């Protein structure tokens, strides 16, 4: 039986490793091809045509929340064109909201880990039978609209049983996934599945439990990839590669002993980096070039609300340890999280300046209440949810503003913004515009917001005033006002009327630091250009 596995439109050039695993773990009687519409730049119509041309019996789709509507549209088109096709949805969004998927063209939804469930579902299709009794499925009872959810599928105990991801099903030339610090073709790999924590903003399917592959199994995959594809750069997609330091150490030793000569990046929690910083030297020796660290926030109140179970000091220490060992720290931050305030943003800016040695305004990815997370459950009571449709659920766009920020009352630290202040605000806001998809000139800017700050109006009231006076759309106006407030807070140009809300504007040291950082960057660019020429 032939199966087409579709990866939908995407704005990141990354491999859908879930589909690569599914394609690799079918029965020999079944064949699968992967159609990555994102990598190929196909729209829904073109994707439907390509799927139908392949004449499959079953079509599988894997999607995150922001890709859901695209997959719903594809399912509708496929159903219209070929009513007998069996359409299976899976991945994070469908697993969390299977009813939504079933209402939009899916015949069945695989909830959670998919390799075993898909094989069993295909067996039923082959035998012309229904899906009843297969663990980890959700489907509509044939002939009725009743939705059946079967018992949860136990997690695969022995990950070594799984065949490694089938990269030969992909046109590797289409992917330019950077591993953040080393340019060039890189493949993803996972040595473990799951995470031992339970952060409020995370909607991962495999929280609170970690399963490992054996080192022999991981090494066999790496060697196989090197032989087959000649790729020596890897991105470990594990939620936290340093959670079990004994495992990490042993992995590094094997990479070194067997002379793999690879370069790689991974993700880790700051607490695990601090547990034994000496291990970082071994990681660096084994080719680790960068580690993504979820700093999330440098405001203790915000951190506490995320249940991240780490402190700002943990982040400072981890950053230092990484810097010392030569592994590049890749800092992940969130903006607009529950508990954020004007004074908190100011503190965070000072903390990050201290940590990174860069004098700048820092913008993270916007905190987004993904379905399946505790944040999603709390969002409506703790703030304003701006996301309106599934395609909004991307972190480069402001999807949520916490009440803590909306109800904060900004206070001006200067009478008027001087030309230098305006320049810094523009720099800060253009930086924000780069991480969002709003054009930088869409609404208001710092000099027009500043006069409205009178020490009595809340952030929400300032945005309302703008809408009233200028007649601009409420949502985009609020987004712009919040961005301006954050930039002003970080630069210390505003404080807050709340107790302990005082802040201090940037001073000479800040300016000199900024100039020095810029100078260093220019010199580094010139050095790179010169070394490329020679
Ligand atoms: C690695 C990773 C990335 C990588 C690669 C993403 C990719 N192409 O897969 C990078 C860094 C590029 C990335 C980017 C983003 N990510 Co990300 N990412 C992850 C992470 C850490 C692991 C995902 C993974 O690879 N898992 C391993 C594979 C094997 O599992 P899987 O894909 O879930 O597939 C299994 C099952 O789900 C099932 N299955 C999946 N699909 C199907 C289909 C069928 C037919 C069947 C039968 C079964 C099935 O079977 C598979 C095998 O068991 C998760 C967190 C997590 N722990 O899940 C977040 C996560 C998936 N990312 C998330 C988000 C939001 C994003 C971004 C949208 C963020 C942004 N910038 O806005 C971008 C989008 C990029 C894109 N490609 O479009 C969210 C998704 C939440 C949601 N509901 O949408 C997660 C859950 C993190 C979170 N915040 O909670 N991400
Ligand atoms: S954010 Fe990271 S540490 Fe927190 S639960 Fe998700 S995967 Fe685990």
């Amino acid at each position: 039986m032939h199966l087409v596995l579709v990866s939908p439109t995407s704005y990141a050039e990354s491999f859908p490793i879930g589909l690569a695993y599914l394609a690799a773990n079918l029965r020999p009687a079944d064949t699968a091809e992967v159609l990555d519409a994102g990598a190929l730049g196909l729209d829904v119509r073109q994707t439907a045509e390509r799927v139908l041309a392949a004449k499959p019996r079953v079509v599988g789709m894997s999607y995150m929340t922001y890709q859901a509507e695209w997959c719903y549209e594809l399912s509708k088109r496929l159903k219209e064109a070929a009513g007998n096709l069996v359409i299976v949805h899976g991945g994070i969004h469908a697993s969390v909201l299977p009813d939504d998927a079933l209402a939009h063209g899916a015949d069945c939804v695989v909830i959670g880990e998919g390799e075993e469930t898909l094989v069993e579902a295909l067996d039923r299709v082959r035998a012309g039978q229904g899906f009843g009794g297969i663990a980890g499925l959700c489907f509509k009872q044939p002939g009725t609209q009743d939705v059946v959810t079967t018992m949860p599928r136990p997690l695969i105990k022995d990950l070594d049983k799984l065949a490694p991801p089938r990269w030969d099903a992909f046109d590797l030339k289409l992917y330019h996934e950077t591993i953040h610090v080393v340019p060039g073709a890189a493949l993803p790999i996972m040595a473990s599945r799951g995470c031992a924590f339970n952060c409020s903003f995370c909607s991962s399917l495999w929280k609170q439990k970690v399963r490992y592959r054996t080192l022999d199994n991981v090494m066999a995959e790496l060697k196989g990839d090197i032989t087959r594809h000649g790729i020596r750069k890897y991105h470990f997609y594990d939620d936290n590669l340093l959670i079990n330091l004994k495992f990490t150490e042993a992995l590094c030793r094997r990479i070194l002993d067997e002379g793999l000569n690879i370069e790689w990046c991974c993700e880790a929690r700051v607490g695990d980096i601090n547990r034994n910083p000496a291990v970082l030297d071994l990681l660096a020796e084994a080719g680790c070039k960068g580690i993504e660290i979820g700093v999330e926030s440098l405001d203790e109140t915000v951190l506490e609300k995320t249940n991240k179970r780490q402190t700002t000091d943990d982040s400072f220490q981890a950053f230092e340890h990484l810097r010392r060992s030569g592994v590049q720290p890749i800092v992940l931050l969130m903006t607009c999280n529950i508990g954020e305030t004007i004074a908190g943003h100011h503190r965070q800016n000072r903390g990050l300046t201290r940590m990174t040695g860069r004098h700048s305004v820092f913008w993270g990815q916007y905190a987004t209440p993904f379905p399946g997370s505790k944040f999603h459950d709390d969002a409506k009571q703790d703030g304003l949810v701006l996301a309106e449709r599934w395609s909004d659920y991307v972190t480069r766009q402001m999807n949520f503003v916490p009440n803590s920020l909306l109800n904060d009352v900004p206070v001006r630290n200067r009478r008027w913004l001087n030309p230098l202040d305006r320049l810094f605000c523009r720099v800060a806001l253009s930086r924000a515009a780069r991480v969002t998809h709003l054009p930088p000139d869409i609404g208001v800017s710092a000099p027009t917001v500043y006069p409205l700050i009178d020490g009595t109006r809340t952030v929400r009231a300032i945005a309302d005033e703008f809408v009233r006076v200028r007649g601009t759309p409420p949502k985009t106006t609020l987004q712009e006002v919040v961005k301006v407030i954050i930039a002003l807070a970080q630069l210390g140009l505003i404080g807050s009327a709340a107790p302990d809300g005082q802040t201090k504007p940037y001073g000479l040291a800040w300016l000199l630091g900024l100039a020095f950082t810029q100078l260093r960057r220019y010199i580094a660019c010139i050095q790179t250009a010169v070394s490329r020429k020679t």
Side-chain angles (χ1 to χ4, degrees):
M1 207 165 46
H2 192 53
L3 167 74
V4 175
L5 293 167
V6 179
S7 186
T9 181
S10 158
Y11 71 81
E13 289 174 350
S14 58
F15 290 97
I17 192 170
L19 292 186
Y21 263 113
L22 294 172
N25 286 283
L26 299 173
R27 291 205 196 284
D30 296 321
T31 52
E33 64 185 280
V34 178
L35 184 61
D36 187 342
L40 291 162
L42 304 177
D43 61 21
V44 177
R45 184 185 56 78
Q46 292 163 325
T47 309
E49 280 170 12
R50 294 275 284 263
V51 170
L52 293 167
K55 297 194 172 31
R57 177 75 185 93
V58 178
V59 179
M61 295 174 204
S62 176
Y63 51 95
M64 297 187 201
T65 297
Y66 84 96
Q67 299 159 319
E69 283 134 343
W70 195 95
C71 286
Y72 296 166
E73 174 62 21
L74 178 65
S75 305
K76 189 173 135 227
R77 278 178 189 250
L78 291 175
K79 275 282 166 204
E80 281 165 7
N84 64 338
L85 261 185
V86 178
I87 298 183
V88 186
H89 286 198
I92 180 74
H93 185 80
S95 292
V96 172
L97 296 172
D99 290 23
D100 202 42
L102 291 175
H104 291 92
D107 291 306
C108 78
V109 176
V110 168
I111 299 174
E113 206 161 33
E115 288 88 347
E116 293 177 341
T117 320
L118 180 63
V119 167
E120 290 176 29
L122 292 180
D123 286 346
R124 296 290 179 86
V125 176
R126 195 180 357 259
Q129 295 168 347
F131 297 120
I134 300 179
L137 266 191
C138 197
F139 58 94
K140 265 197 217 139
Q141 195 76 296
T144 72
Q145 288 303 304
D146 296 345
V147 171
V148 178
T149 306
T150 62
M151 60 187 231
R153 170 155 304 260
L155 294 172
I156 299 170
K157 277 207 189 83
D158 177 9
L159 292 178
D160 282 7
K161 267 193 339 203
L162 295 175
R166 244 194 73 195
W167 299 124
D168 60 310
F170 292 77
D171 181 354
L172 298 188
K173 287 192 300 301
L174 292 176
Y175 300 85
H176 307 280
E177 173 163 332
T178 52
I179 50 170
H180 304 292
V181 286
V182 190
L187 276 177
I189 183 165
M190 293 182 81
S192 64
R193 285 187 177 183
C195 163
F197 292 85
N198 194 11
C199 303
S200 65
F201 54 85
C202 178
S203 64
S204 163
L205 293 173
W206 297 328
K207 283 200 250 185
Q208 293 180 289
K209 187 168 166 47
V210 193
R211 293 161 292 152
Y212 292 91
R213 297 165 61 187
T214 60
L215 287 176
D216 286 344
N217 193 260
V218 178
M219 292 302 289
E221 180 177 338
L222 284 168
K223 285 179 188 165
D225 283 343
I226 293 170
T227 316
R228 271 190 298 277
H229 310 293
I231 289 183
R232 290 195 180 266
K233 295 185 175 126
Y234 292 87
H235 185 169
F236 281 89
Y237 275 5
D238 303 53
D239 285 331
N240 179 2
L241 194 64
L242 269 65
I243 196 161
N244 177 345
L245 287 177
K246 279 207 176 98
F247 179 86
T248 323
E249 266 187 277
L251 175 67
C252 291
R253 291 206 191 288
R254 287 286 294 265
I255 291 173
L256 286 168
D257 291 349
E258 298 185 31
L260 286 199
N261 190 20
I262 56 172
E263 293 180 315
W264 49 280
C265 276
C266 67
E267 282 157 43
R269 283 173 51 87
V270 290
D272 292 319
I273 290 173
N274 298 337
R275 261 194 299 141
N276 184 1
V279 173
L280 293 176
D281 296 329
L282 182 62
L283 260 84
E285 212 188 322
C288 178
K289 296 291 168 196
I291 300 187
E292 285 182 30
I293 47 173
V295 168
E296 320 303 0
S297 171
L298 284 180
D299 182 340
E300 299 293 351
T301 322
V302 178
L303 274 180
E304 224 166 85
K305 288 186 189 294
T306 62
N307 194 32
K308 183 87 193 186
R309 292 166 64 186
Q310 71 189 33
T311 64
T312 53
D313 263 350
D314 294 335
S315 293
F316 288 133
Q317 281 176 31
F319 193 91
E320 266 319 303
H321 292 316
L322 286 168
R323 199 152 53 179
R324 183 202 45 77
S325 66
V327 173
Q328 188 167 316
I330 304 153
V331 173
L332 303 179
L333 279 174
M334 283 192 286
T335 304
C336 282
N337 225 325
I338 296 173
E340 281 183 17
T341 56
I342 289 168
H345 265 288
H346 187 65
R347 276 197 301 274
Q348 163 150 309
N349 179 277
R350 295 293 137 115
L352 280 161
T353 302
R354 179 156 76 93
M355 184 162 120
T356 62
R358 283 192 192 168
H359 294 68
S360 180
V361 168
F362 298 94
W363 231 277
Q365 303 184 55
Y366 287 109
T368 299
F370 291 108
S373 63
K374 182 172 182 302
F375 180 20
H376 181 261
D377 302 337
D378 296 345
K380 283 210 175 92
Q381 100 188 20
D382 285 332
L384 205 58
V385 178
L386 301 174
E388 287 163 1
R389 51 189 74 84
W390 294 137
S391 55
D392 285 335
Y393 282 75
V394 286
T395 55
R396 63 191 164 156
Q397 147 175 342
M398 193 187 290
N399 281 315
F400 172 80
V401 191
N403 285 334
S404 48
L405 205 52
L406 285 173
N407 298 335
D408 208 348
V409 177
V411 178
R412 274 189 262 172
N413 279 347
R414 297 212 206 284
R415 207 151 165 238
W416 305 109
L417 293 181
N418 65 44
L420 211 54
D421 298 333
R422 286 169 186 241
L423 178 73
F424 287 132
C425 286
R426 280 188 64 179
V427 172
L429 288 168
S430 66
R431 204 183 141 100
R434 260 187 278 143
V435 294
T436 71
H437 66 179
L438 292 170
D441 58 348
I442 186 160
V444 295
S445 58
T448 39
V449 171
Y450 211 63
L452 287 179
I453 296 171
D454 62 1
T456 63
R457 283 194 189 96
T458 61
V459 172
R460 194 194 297 259
I462 292 171
D464 289 346
E465 181 67 6
F466 253 95
V467 175
R468 200 179 61 74
V469 174
R470 299 190 143 206
T472 44
K475 178 171 149 180
T476 46
T477 308
L478 180 71
Q479 287 168 325
E480 286 299 302
V481 168
V482 170
K483 279 200 247 170
V484 169
I485 293 291
I486 292 174
L488 290 170
Q490 291 203 14
L491 292 167
L493 293 169
I494 55 169
S496 153
D500 303 332
Q502 290 80 5
T503 63
K504 235 172 98 191
Y506 59 83
L508 192 62
W510 194 93
L511 283 173
L512 289 174
L514 186 68
F516 182 65
T517 308
Q518 290 304 336
L519 194 69
R520 260 195 351 208
R521 278 192 204 151
Y522 288 134
I523 293 172
C525 284
I526 294 167
Q527 280 172 337
T528 318
V530 170
S531 68
R532 276 202 192 122
K533 269 198 172 160
T534 49

